[in-house]
Amino acid sequence: MIGGMDRGHRAVPHTADVRIEAWAPDREGCLAEAVAALVQTFVDTTGAHPDGETTVELPADRDEDLLVGILDEVIFRLETEGTVPLATEAQPSADGLRVRWHTVDTDAVELVGAVPKAVSLHELRFAGTDSGWRCAVTVDV
């Protein structure tokens, strides 16, 4: 159920880029779903098991900054460490968000799509409603 109490995510068609949507009952769940959506656009994690763990503090004044920050961090770690998150746990912190990832090396997963390069601010949406949180973002590939 999109926008309801269920959690989920999907990729939607977009010219030359990747557009992802995510939803969950709470902000942190929606952010975790957005990470899962991003990862699934370029790797198949079926059968992969975490071999690492990373904790990141993301400062932000606005919810949209958290969405961009968490996805940018996934792209940064992909480029610099060769890792992708298999599971995301996010909790509010005094300055923004504390994120814990259970990660796997990219050698342990299969590339199935274009590798993300950056998060676009164009048509970025992230907001809470009476029925939960939703986000939509375009990722440059």
Side-chain angles (χ1 to χ4, degrees):
M1 164 189 264
I2 295 175
M5 292 305 292
D6 292 336
R7 291 173 63 131
H9 59 267
R10 66 181 176 183
V12 294
H14 193 271
T15 308
D17 293 315
V18 173
R19 182 121 175 119
I20 57 174
E21 296 178 353
W23 56 93
D26 57 34
R27 181 183 74 159
E28 292 74 23
C30 190
L31 290 165
E33 289 295 331
V35 169
L38 175 63
V39 170
Q40 288 180 0
T41 66
F42 68 96
V43 293
D44 179 2
T45 60
T46 304
H49 300 285
D51 58 16
E53 187 176 296
T54 301
T55 301
V56 179
E57 293 284 336
L58 297 174
D61 294 327
R62 302 177 324 127
D63 293 325
E64 292 86 355
D65 296 338
L66 290 175
L67 176 60
V68 172
I70 197 170
L71 297 178
D72 277 345
E73 191 69 24
V74 171
I75 295 168
F76 173 76
R77 292 187 182 272
L78 171 67
E79 292 173 352
T80 61
E81 298 175 355
T83 61
V84 293
L86 293 177
T88 301
E89 301 166 18
Q91 298 177 331
S93 68
D95 296 326
L97 192 71
R98 174 174 287 138
V99 179
R100 188 171 109 186
W101 280 313
H102 300 277
T103 61
V104 66
D105 191 84
T106 54
D107 292 340
V109 294
E110 180 183 351
L111 184 66
V112 295
V115 175
K117 299 295 180 203
V119 177
S120 173
L121 301 179
H122 182 68
E123 296 183 356
L124 179 116
R125 295 190 326 263
F126 186 42
T129 68
D130 291 341
S131 59
W133 282 76
R134 292 183 52 97
C135 70
V137 63
T138 302
V139 180
D140 300 329
V141 293

